[in-house]
Short mmCIF file of all heavy atoms in Angstrom, two decimals:
data_model
loop_
_atom_site.label_atom_id
_atom_site.label_comp_id
_atom_site.label_asym_id
_atom_site.label_seq_id
_atom_site.Cartn_x
_atom_site.Cartn_y
_atom_site.Cartn_z
N ILE A 170 -73.61 30.31 55.55
CA ILE A 170 -72.94 30.89 54.37
C ILE A 170 -71.50 31.20 54.77
O ILE A 170 -71.24 31.76 55.86
CB ILE A 170 -73.66 32.16 53.90
CG1 ILE A 170 -75.04 31.82 53.39
CG2 ILE A 170 -72.86 32.84 52.82
CD1 ILE A 170 -75.12 30.99 52.14
N ALA A 171 -70.52 30.90 53.88
CA ALA A 171 -69.15 31.03 54.24
C ALA A 171 -68.44 32.03 53.31
O ALA A 171 -68.75 32.14 52.11
CB ALA A 171 -68.44 29.68 54.17
N LEU A 172 -67.48 32.71 53.89
CA LEU A 172 -66.53 33.56 53.16
C LEU A 172 -65.15 32.89 53.35
O LEU A 172 -64.74 32.64 54.45
CB LEU A 172 -66.50 35.02 53.66
CG LEU A 172 -65.52 35.95 53.01
CD1 LEU A 172 -65.88 36.14 51.53
CD2 LEU A 172 -65.54 37.30 53.71
N ILE A 173 -64.48 32.67 52.21
CA ILE A 173 -63.30 31.84 52.23
C ILE A 173 -62.14 32.57 51.55
O ILE A 173 -62.25 33.12 50.53
CB ILE A 173 -63.50 30.45 51.44
CG1 ILE A 173 -64.74 29.78 52.05
CG2 ILE A 173 -62.26 29.63 51.48
CD1 ILE A 173 -65.26 28.68 51.17
N PHE A 174 -60.94 32.49 52.26
CA PHE A 174 -59.68 32.99 51.72
C PHE A 174 -58.69 31.86 51.79
O PHE A 174 -58.52 31.22 52.91
CB PHE A 174 -59.17 34.21 52.54
CG PHE A 174 -60.10 35.36 52.65
CD1 PHE A 174 -61.00 35.44 53.70
CD2 PHE A 174 -60.15 36.29 51.66
CE1 PHE A 174 -61.85 36.50 53.79
CE2 PHE A 174 -61.03 37.40 51.73
CZ PHE A 174 -61.89 37.49 52.82
N ASP A 175 -58.06 31.54 50.70
CA ASP A 175 -57.06 30.46 50.76
C ASP A 175 -55.85 30.72 49.86
O ASP A 175 -55.87 31.71 49.07
CB ASP A 175 -57.69 29.11 50.49
CG ASP A 175 -58.20 28.99 49.06
OD1 ASP A 175 -57.79 29.77 48.18
OD2 ASP A 175 -58.99 28.08 48.76
N ILE A 176 -54.88 29.84 49.90
CA ILE A 176 -53.71 29.92 49.03
C ILE A 176 -53.45 28.51 48.57
O ILE A 176 -53.32 27.55 49.38
CB ILE A 176 -52.45 30.46 49.78
CG1 ILE A 176 -52.71 31.89 50.20
CG2 ILE A 176 -51.22 30.37 48.83
CD1 ILE A 176 -51.55 32.48 51.04
N ARG A 177 -53.39 28.31 47.24
CA ARG A 177 -53.02 27.00 46.72
C ARG A 177 -51.55 27.09 46.28
O ARG A 177 -51.14 27.81 45.37
CB ARG A 177 -53.93 26.68 45.50
CG ARG A 177 -55.34 26.49 45.83
CD ARG A 177 -56.26 26.52 44.62
NE ARG A 177 -55.95 25.49 43.63
CZ ARG A 177 -56.49 24.27 43.63
NH1 ARG A 177 -57.32 23.95 44.58
NH2 ARG A 177 -56.18 23.40 42.72
N TYR A 178 -50.75 26.25 46.98
CA TYR A 178 -49.34 26.18 46.65
C TYR A 178 -49.02 24.80 46.07
O TYR A 178 -49.20 23.78 46.72
CB TYR A 178 -48.47 26.39 47.93
CG TYR A 178 -47.01 26.30 47.70
CD1 TYR A 178 -46.29 27.28 47.04
CD2 TYR A 178 -46.32 25.12 48.08
CE1 TYR A 178 -44.92 27.20 46.84
CE2 TYR A 178 -44.97 24.99 47.87
CZ TYR A 178 -44.29 26.02 47.25
OH TYR A 178 -42.94 25.87 47.01
N TYR A 179 -48.58 24.82 44.79
CA TYR A 179 -48.26 23.55 44.13
C TYR A 179 -46.87 23.10 44.52
O TYR A 179 -45.87 23.59 44.00
CB TYR A 179 -48.33 23.76 42.55
CG TYR A 179 -49.75 23.75 42.07
CD1 TYR A 179 -50.60 24.86 42.25
CD2 TYR A 179 -50.30 22.62 41.40
CE1 TYR A 179 -51.92 24.81 41.79
CE2 TYR A 179 -51.58 22.64 40.96
CZ TYR A 179 -52.37 23.75 41.15
OH TYR A 179 -53.71 23.74 40.66
N TRP A 180 -46.84 22.14 45.44
CA TRP A 180 -45.59 21.57 45.94
C TRP A 180 -44.96 20.78 44.80
O TRP A 180 -43.75 20.85 44.59
CB TRP A 180 -45.90 20.68 47.14
CG TRP A 180 -44.75 20.42 48.02
CD1 TRP A 180 -43.45 20.76 47.81
CD2 TRP A 180 -44.79 19.77 49.30
NE1 TRP A 180 -42.66 20.34 48.83
CE2 TRP A 180 -43.46 19.72 49.74
CE3 TRP A 180 -45.80 19.20 50.06
CZ2 TRP A 180 -43.15 19.18 50.97
CZ3 TRP A 180 -45.49 18.63 51.25
CH2 TRP A 180 -44.15 18.60 51.74
N THR A 181 -45.82 19.99 44.08
CA THR A 181 -45.35 19.30 42.90
C THR A 181 -46.45 19.53 41.87
O THR A 181 -47.45 20.27 42.10
CB THR A 181 -45.17 17.83 43.14
OG1 THR A 181 -46.42 17.18 43.40
CG2 THR A 181 -44.23 17.52 44.34
N GLU A 182 -46.36 18.91 40.75
CA GLU A 182 -47.35 19.03 39.68
C GLU A 182 -48.72 18.53 40.14
O GLU A 182 -49.75 19.09 39.72
CB GLU A 182 -46.91 18.32 38.38
CG GLU A 182 -47.89 18.49 37.27
CD GLU A 182 -47.42 17.77 36.02
OE1 GLU A 182 -46.27 17.27 36.02
OE2 GLU A 182 -48.19 17.67 35.06
N ASN A 183 -48.74 17.53 41.03
CA ASN A 183 -50.00 16.94 41.47
C ASN A 183 -50.33 17.22 42.91
O ASN A 183 -51.44 17.01 43.32
CB ASN A 183 -50.00 15.43 41.21
CG ASN A 183 -49.77 15.08 39.75
OD1 ASN A 183 -48.66 14.72 39.36
ND2 ASN A 183 -50.80 15.22 38.94
N LEU A 184 -49.36 17.57 43.73
CA LEU A 184 -49.58 17.77 45.16
C LEU A 184 -49.65 19.19 45.53
O LEU A 184 -48.80 19.99 45.22
CB LEU A 184 -48.44 17.08 45.96
CG LEU A 184 -48.71 16.73 47.39
CD1 LEU A 184 -49.84 15.74 47.52
CD2 LEU A 184 -47.46 16.11 48.01
N ILE A 185 -50.76 19.56 46.20
CA ILE A 185 -51.09 20.92 46.52
C ILE A 185 -51.15 21.06 48.07
O ILE A 185 -51.88 20.30 48.71
CB ILE A 185 -52.40 21.40 45.92
CG1 ILE A 185 -52.38 21.20 44.38
CG2 ILE A 185 -52.75 22.86 46.30
CD1 ILE A 185 -53.75 21.40 43.73
N LEU A 186 -50.50 22.10 48.57
CA LEU A 186 -50.66 22.47 49.98
C LEU A 186 -51.52 23.73 50.04
O LEU A 186 -51.28 24.71 49.40
CB LEU A 186 -49.27 22.76 50.58
CG LEU A 186 -49.21 22.98 52.08
CD1 LEU A 186 -49.55 21.67 52.83
CD2 LEU A 186 -47.76 23.46 52.46
N GLN A 187 -52.57 23.66 50.86
CA GLN A 187 -53.61 24.74 50.85
C GLN A 187 -53.94 25.17 52.28
O GLN A 187 -54.81 24.53 52.94
CB GLN A 187 -54.85 24.25 50.14
CG GLN A 187 -55.95 25.31 50.02
CD GLN A 187 -57.10 24.95 49.17
OE1 GLN A 187 -56.98 24.92 47.96
NE2 GLN A 187 -58.20 24.59 49.82
N PRO A 188 -53.36 26.29 52.80
CA PRO A 188 -53.84 26.88 54.01
C PRO A 188 -55.05 27.79 53.68
O PRO A 188 -55.08 28.34 52.57
CB PRO A 188 -52.67 27.70 54.51
CG PRO A 188 -51.88 28.04 53.24
CD PRO A 188 -52.12 26.91 52.30
N SER A 189 -55.97 27.88 54.60
CA SER A 189 -57.17 28.71 54.32
C SER A 189 -57.77 29.30 55.63
O SER A 189 -57.49 28.75 56.70
CB SER A 189 -58.22 27.92 53.58
OG SER A 189 -58.63 26.81 54.36
N LEU A 190 -58.51 30.31 55.45
CA LEU A 190 -59.23 30.96 56.55
C LEU A 190 -60.70 31.07 56.10
O LEU A 190 -60.98 31.65 55.04
CB LEU A 190 -58.66 32.40 56.84
CG LEU A 190 -59.28 33.17 57.97
CD1 LEU A 190 -59.08 32.42 59.30
CD2 LEU A 190 -58.61 34.55 58.06
N LYS A 191 -61.60 30.48 56.92
CA LYS A 191 -63.00 30.41 56.54
C LYS A 191 -63.86 30.98 57.66
O LYS A 191 -63.69 30.64 58.83
CB LYS A 191 -63.43 29.00 56.29
CG LYS A 191 -62.56 28.29 55.22
CD LYS A 191 -63.01 26.83 55.00
CE LYS A 191 -62.13 26.12 53.99
NZ LYS A 191 -62.57 24.73 53.71
N PHE A 192 -64.82 31.84 57.26
CA PHE A 192 -65.76 32.40 58.24
C PHE A 192 -67.20 31.94 57.85
O PHE A 192 -67.66 32.19 56.72
CB PHE A 192 -65.70 33.99 58.18
CG PHE A 192 -64.37 34.52 58.56
CD1 PHE A 192 -63.45 34.86 57.56
CD2 PHE A 192 -64.03 34.71 59.87
CE1 PHE A 192 -62.21 35.35 57.89
CE2 PHE A 192 -62.80 35.23 60.21
CZ PHE A 192 -61.87 35.56 59.23
N TYR A 193 -67.85 31.27 58.81
CA TYR A 193 -69.20 30.81 58.59
C TYR A 193 -70.20 31.59 59.47
O TYR A 193 -70.00 31.59 60.71
CB TYR A 193 -69.33 29.32 58.95
CG TYR A 193 -68.36 28.39 58.19
CD1 TYR A 193 -67.08 28.13 58.62
CD2 TYR A 193 -68.85 27.78 56.96
CE1 TYR A 193 -66.28 27.28 57.90
CE2 TYR A 193 -68.00 26.94 56.30
CZ TYR A 193 -66.70 26.66 56.77
OH TYR A 193 -65.93 25.81 56.06
N GLU A 194 -71.20 32.19 58.86
CA GLU A 194 -72.28 32.72 59.62
C GLU A 194 -73.43 31.72 59.53
O GLU A 194 -74.03 31.47 58.46
CB GLU A 194 -72.73 34.07 59.03
CG GLU A 194 -73.71 34.78 59.90
CD GLU A 194 -73.15 35.16 61.31
OE1 GLU A 194 -71.94 35.37 61.43
OE2 GLU A 194 -73.99 35.19 62.24
N SER A 195 -73.73 31.11 60.70
CA SER A 195 -74.70 30.01 60.73
C SER A 195 -75.97 30.34 61.41
O SER A 195 -75.96 31.12 62.38
CB SER A 195 -74.07 28.79 61.47
OG SER A 195 -72.79 28.48 60.92
N TRP A 196 -77.06 29.75 60.97
CA TRP A 196 -78.35 29.90 61.65
C TRP A 196 -78.98 28.57 61.78
O TRP A 196 -78.97 27.74 60.87
CB TRP A 196 -79.25 30.90 60.88
CG TRP A 196 -79.57 30.49 59.48
CD1 TRP A 196 -80.71 29.83 59.05
CD2 TRP A 196 -78.78 30.69 58.32
NE1 TRP A 196 -80.64 29.62 57.71
CE2 TRP A 196 -79.49 30.14 57.18
CE3 TRP A 196 -77.55 31.33 58.10
CZ2 TRP A 196 -79.01 30.18 55.88
CZ3 TRP A 196 -77.09 31.32 56.78
CH2 TRP A 196 -77.79 30.79 55.72
N PHE A 197 -79.53 28.33 62.99
CA PHE A 197 -80.10 26.97 63.34
C PHE A 197 -81.59 27.21 63.66
O PHE A 197 -81.89 27.94 64.62
CB PHE A 197 -79.37 26.37 64.50
CG PHE A 197 -77.96 26.03 64.19
CD1 PHE A 197 -76.94 26.95 64.28
CD2 PHE A 197 -77.63 24.74 63.77
CE1 PHE A 197 -75.62 26.63 64.01
CE2 PHE A 197 -76.29 24.41 63.48
CZ PHE A 197 -75.34 25.39 63.59
N SER A 198 -82.49 26.58 62.87
CA SER A 198 -83.88 26.87 63.02
C SER A 198 -84.71 25.64 63.41
O SER A 198 -85.90 25.74 63.67
CB SER A 198 -84.44 27.45 61.69
OG SER A 198 -83.78 28.60 61.30
N ASN A 199 -84.06 24.44 63.41
CA ASN A 199 -84.82 23.24 63.73
C ASN A 199 -84.15 22.44 64.80
O ASN A 199 -82.87 22.33 64.84
CB ASN A 199 -84.93 22.39 62.45
CG ASN A 199 -85.80 23.03 61.38
OD1 ASN A 199 -87.03 23.03 61.51
ND2 ASN A 199 -85.18 23.59 60.36
N LEU A 200 -84.96 21.80 65.71
CA LEU A 200 -84.44 21.04 66.82
C LEU A 200 -85.25 19.74 66.91
O LEU A 200 -86.48 19.74 66.81
CB LEU A 200 -84.62 21.82 68.12
CG LEU A 200 -84.12 21.10 69.41
CD1 LEU A 200 -82.62 20.92 69.38
CD2 LEU A 200 -84.66 21.83 70.64
N TYR A 201 -84.48 18.65 67.03
CA TYR A 201 -85.14 17.35 67.20
C TYR A 201 -84.87 16.79 68.61
O TYR A 201 -83.73 16.85 69.08
CB TYR A 201 -84.60 16.33 66.17
CG TYR A 201 -85.09 14.92 66.33
CD1 TYR A 201 -86.28 14.49 65.81
CD2 TYR A 201 -84.41 14.01 67.13
CE1 TYR A 201 -86.80 13.20 66.03
CE2 TYR A 201 -84.87 12.72 67.33
CZ TYR A 201 -86.05 12.32 66.76
OH TYR A 201 -86.55 11.03 66.97
N THR A 202 -85.92 16.29 69.25
CA THR A 202 -85.76 15.57 70.46
C THR A 202 -86.56 14.24 70.34
O THR A 202 -87.51 14.16 69.54
CB THR A 202 -86.21 16.29 71.70
OG1 THR A 202 -87.67 16.47 71.70
CG2 THR A 202 -85.56 17.63 71.78
N GLU A 203 -86.20 13.24 71.11
CA GLU A 203 -86.76 11.95 70.98
C GLU A 203 -88.29 11.90 71.24
O GLU A 203 -89.02 11.17 70.58
CB GLU A 203 -86.06 10.93 71.88
CG GLU A 203 -86.54 9.49 71.80
CD GLU A 203 -85.76 8.57 72.65
OE1 GLU A 203 -84.62 8.92 73.10
OE2 GLU A 203 -86.25 7.44 72.92
N HIS A 204 -88.71 12.75 72.17
CA HIS A 204 -90.16 12.72 72.60
C HIS A 204 -91.01 13.82 71.98
O HIS A 204 -92.21 13.78 72.08
CB HIS A 204 -90.24 12.80 74.09
CG HIS A 204 -89.60 11.64 74.77
ND1 HIS A 204 -89.97 10.32 74.56
CD2 HIS A 204 -88.57 11.57 75.68
CE1 HIS A 204 -89.26 9.50 75.28
NE2 HIS A 204 -88.37 10.25 76.01
N SER A 205 -90.40 14.79 71.30
CA SER A 205 -91.19 15.83 70.68
C SER A 205 -90.98 15.92 69.16
O SER A 205 -91.68 16.73 68.52
CB SER A 205 -90.84 17.21 71.32
OG SER A 205 -89.47 17.57 71.02
N GLY A 206 -90.05 15.15 68.60
CA GLY A 206 -89.83 15.09 67.21
C GLY A 206 -89.08 16.38 66.74
O GLY A 206 -88.38 17.03 67.53
N THR A 207 -89.22 16.69 65.47
CA THR A 207 -88.55 17.85 64.89
C THR A 207 -89.50 19.07 64.92
O THR A 207 -90.64 18.99 64.44
CB THR A 207 -88.13 17.62 63.43
OG1 THR A 207 -87.26 16.46 63.36
CG2 THR A 207 -87.47 18.81 62.86
N ASN A 208 -88.97 20.13 65.52
CA ASN A 208 -89.79 21.38 65.65
C ASN A 208 -88.98 22.56 65.16
O ASN A 208 -87.76 22.64 65.33
CB ASN A 208 -90.19 21.60 67.10
CG ASN A 208 -91.17 20.56 67.56
OD1 ASN A 208 -92.32 20.56 67.28
ND2 ASN A 208 -90.61 19.57 68.32
N GLU A 209 -89.67 23.53 64.57
CA GLU A 209 -89.03 24.79 64.16
C GLU A 209 -88.94 25.68 65.37
O GLU A 209 -89.90 25.83 66.13
CB GLU A 209 -89.82 25.44 63.04
CG GLU A 209 -89.21 26.69 62.48
CD GLU A 209 -89.92 27.28 61.32
OE1 GLU A 209 -90.82 26.60 60.78
OE2 GLU A 209 -89.57 28.37 60.87
N LEU A 210 -87.75 26.23 65.60
CA LEU A 210 -87.53 27.08 66.73
C LEU A 210 -88.24 28.46 66.63
O LEU A 210 -88.28 29.01 65.48
CB LEU A 210 -86.06 27.33 66.95
CG LEU A 210 -85.21 26.10 67.26
CD1 LEU A 210 -83.73 26.54 67.39
CD2 LEU A 210 -85.63 25.39 68.51
N VAL A 211 -88.76 28.94 67.70
CA VAL A 211 -89.43 30.25 67.70
C VAL A 211 -88.36 31.34 67.43
O VAL A 211 -88.56 32.28 66.71
CB VAL A 211 -90.13 30.51 69.03
CG1 VAL A 211 -90.69 31.94 69.06
CG2 VAL A 211 -91.27 29.50 69.18
N HIS A 212 -87.18 31.16 68.07
CA HIS A 212 -86.08 32.08 67.92
C HIS A 212 -84.86 31.35 67.26
O HIS A 212 -84.33 30.42 67.90
CB HIS A 212 -85.67 32.72 69.23
CG HIS A 212 -86.79 33.44 69.92
ND1 HIS A 212 -87.31 34.65 69.43
CD2 HIS A 212 -87.51 33.16 71.06
CE1 HIS A 212 -88.26 35.03 70.26
NE2 HIS A 212 -88.45 34.16 71.25
N THR A 213 -84.50 31.79 66.09
CA THR A 213 -83.33 31.15 65.42
C THR A 213 -82.08 31.38 66.22
O THR A 213 -81.84 32.47 66.75
CB THR A 213 -83.19 31.79 64.05
OG1 THR A 213 -84.41 31.50 63.23
CG2 THR A 213 -81.97 31.17 63.26
N LYS A 214 -81.21 30.32 66.32
CA LYS A 214 -80.01 30.45 66.97
C LYS A 214 -78.88 30.77 65.91
O LYS A 214 -78.74 30.02 64.99
CB LYS A 214 -79.63 29.09 67.66
CG LYS A 214 -80.68 28.61 68.69
CD LYS A 214 -80.90 29.60 69.80
CE LYS A 214 -81.94 29.08 70.76
NZ LYS A 214 -82.33 30.11 71.76
N TRP A 215 -78.17 31.86 66.21
CA TRP A 215 -77.10 32.30 65.30
C TRP A 215 -75.75 31.97 65.93
O TRP A 215 -75.54 32.15 67.12
CB TRP A 215 -77.23 33.78 65.02
CG TRP A 215 -78.40 34.18 64.24
CD1 TRP A 215 -79.66 34.41 64.66
CD2 TRP A 215 -78.44 34.29 62.81
NE1 TRP A 215 -80.52 34.70 63.60
CE2 TRP A 215 -79.82 34.61 62.44
CE3 TRP A 215 -77.48 34.15 61.74
CZ2 TRP A 215 -80.16 34.79 61.16
CZ3 TRP A 215 -77.93 34.34 60.49
CH2 TRP A 215 -79.24 34.68 60.09
N GLN A 216 -74.83 31.52 65.09
CA GLN A 216 -73.51 31.16 65.54
C GLN A 216 -72.48 31.48 64.51
O GLN A 216 -72.71 31.15 63.28
CB GLN A 216 -73.45 29.68 65.92
CG GLN A 216 -72.19 29.27 66.69
CD GLN A 216 -72.34 29.54 68.19
OE1 GLN A 216 -73.39 29.91 68.66
NE2 GLN A 216 -71.30 29.34 68.94
N THR A 217 -71.37 32.07 64.87
CA THR A 217 -70.33 32.41 63.97
C THR A 217 -69.12 31.43 64.21
O THR A 217 -68.71 31.29 65.32
CB THR A 217 -69.79 33.84 64.12
OG1 THR A 217 -70.86 34.76 63.89
CG2 THR A 217 -68.66 34.19 63.17
N PHE A 218 -68.62 30.81 63.13
CA PHE A 218 -67.50 29.89 63.18
C PHE A 218 -66.31 30.54 62.37
O PHE A 218 -66.55 30.94 61.20
CB PHE A 218 -67.82 28.56 62.60
CG PHE A 218 -68.83 27.81 63.35
CD1 PHE A 218 -70.18 27.99 63.10
CD2 PHE A 218 -68.54 26.82 64.30
CE1 PHE A 218 -71.19 27.30 63.77
CE2 PHE A 218 -69.52 26.10 64.98
CZ PHE A 218 -70.83 26.37 64.74
N ALA A 219 -65.14 30.61 62.97
CA ALA A 219 -63.94 31.04 62.22
C ALA A 219 -62.96 29.88 62.28
O ALA A 219 -62.56 29.38 63.35
CB ALA A 219 -63.30 32.26 62.89
N ALA A 220 -62.55 29.38 61.11
CA ALA A 220 -61.72 28.19 60.99
C ALA A 220 -60.45 28.47 60.26
O ALA A 220 -60.44 29.13 59.19
CB ALA A 220 -62.47 27.10 60.23
N ILE A 221 -59.33 28.08 60.86
CA ILE A 221 -58.02 28.06 60.21
C ILE A 221 -57.71 26.61 59.81
O ILE A 221 -57.69 25.73 60.64
CB ILE A 221 -56.93 28.61 61.17
CG1 ILE A 221 -57.27 30.04 61.55
CG2 ILE A 221 -55.59 28.54 60.46
CD1 ILE A 221 -56.28 30.60 62.59
#
Side-chain angles (χ1 to χ4, degrees):
I170 295 293
L172 178 63
I173 304 167
F174 302 93
D175 67 17
I176 297 174
R177 293 165 62 87
Y178 177 75
Y179 281 75
W180 201 352
T181 67
E182 182 179 352
N183 300 103
L184 199 60
I185 303 169
L186 189 65
Q187 181 174 286
S189 60
L190 183 61
K191 304 179 182 183
F192 299 95
Y193 300 90
E194 188 62 32
S195 308
W196 60 97
F197 294 85
S198 303
N199 293 284
L200 178 71
Y201 174 87
T202 68
E203 185 175 340
H204 298 301
S205 65
T207 302
N208 293 283
E209 185 174 351
L210 298 178
V211 176
H212 301 290
T213 298
K214 304 300 180 186
W215 291 87
Q216 192 82 7
T217 301
F218 296 85
I221 299 176

